[in-house]
Amino acid sequence: ALLLPFLFESIVYPLIVTGVILLVILLARVKHTFHGFSKPGKLSEIWYGLSAVICIAAAWNIDPWLAVTPILIMSWADGAVELVGRAFYHKVEHKGVAGTVAMAVLSMGIGAAALNPVWIGIAGGAVATIAERLGNGGVRDDNLLVPLAVLALIVPLYLFWG
C-alpha cells in the first residue's frame, strides 16, 4: 500500500492490485492453500482485502494518500498490537492497555506522516485506536472496522479542511 501513490496516478492499477490480492485470498481460503494463514471461524484476511479495495475505490481520486492511509494503519499498527499483546500478556488474542497504547502511537504517527494537514492524520489514528478496541469479529472484525472508520473520518475532514 505504501508504494501505490508513488507508482500509480490512475485508480485503475491500484484497484486491480488490491482486487487481485483479495481474489487470491478468497481462492486460498476456498482451496485451503495457505495452512495457518487464517484462523478457523474468522474472515480477518478477507475483511482486510475487502477494506483495501473499498478504500482505494472510495478515496483514490480525491487523494491517493487518503486511500492508502487506512490500509497502512491497519497493516502496521494492528500488527504491532498483536506483537505487544504477545509480549506483555503472553496471549495472542488479548486487548490490553499496552496494545492500545501501541495502536494509538503508531496509528497517529502513520496518519501524521501520510496526510496533510497533519491533524487529519492524527484524528484518523485516534479513530483507528477506538475502532480496533471495539472490533471483536464478524462484521465488527477490526480488519474491516479500522480502515473503514478511518476512511469515514479522514475523507470528509480532508474535503472540508484539507
Side-chain angles (χ1 to χ4, degrees), residues 103 125-135 145:
M103 181 72 177
V127 164
T129 304
I130 294 165
E132 194 277 333
R133 193 75 177 168
L134 295 175
L145 190 60

Side-chain angles (χ1 to χ4, degrees), residues 25-33:
I25 291 169
L26 286 168
L27 185 61
R29 171 79 84 144
V30 170
K31 298 277 189 180
H32 305 289
T33 306

Side-chain angles (χ1 to χ4, degrees), residues 26 50 52 61 69 73 82 87 93 104 109 134 136 138 140 154 156 158:
L26 286 168
L50 180 62
N61 287 331
T69 298
I73 287 173
E82 185 161 335
E93 303 253 348
L134 295 175
N136 68 351
R140 280 186 42 200
I154 65 175
Y158 183 85

Side-chain angles (χ1 to χ4, degrees), residues 3-92:
L3 295 178
L4 291 176
F6 296 110
L7 296 175
F8 306 110
E9 290 182 24
S10 168
I11 191 174
V12 173
Y13 296 112
L15 266 180
I16 290 171
V17 168
T18 54
V20 166
I21 291 170
L22 177 57
L23 288 175
V24 168
I25 291 169
L26 286 168
L27 185 61
R29 171 79 84 144
V30 170
K31 298 277 189 180
H32 305 289
T33 306
F34 300 132
H35 301 289
F37 182 68
S38 59
K39 297 173 186 167
K42 291 199 170 191
L43 300 174
S44 299
E45 71 281 1
I46 294 168
W47 292 131
Y48 178 71
L50 180 62
S51 69
V53 170
I54 292 169
C55 288
I56 298 292
W60 186 273
N61 287 331
I62 300 168
D63 184 325
W65 288 104
L66 286 174
V68 300
T69 298
I71 302 166
L72 294 173
I73 287 173
M74 188 62 226
S75 58
W76 293 351
D78 190 61
V81 168
E82 185 161 335
L83 293 174
V84 168
R86 286 182 188 198
F88 279 79
Y89 308 108
H90 308 292
K91 295 178 183 177
V92 177

Side-chain angles (χ1 to χ4, degrees), residues 130-155:
I130 294 165
E132 194 277 333
R133 193 75 177 168
L134 295 175
N136 68 351
V139 292
R140 280 186 42 200
D141 186 294
D142 62 355
N143 288 284
L144 182 64
L145 190 60
V146 168
L148 297 185
V150 172
L151 184 71
L153 177 72
I154 65 175
V155 169

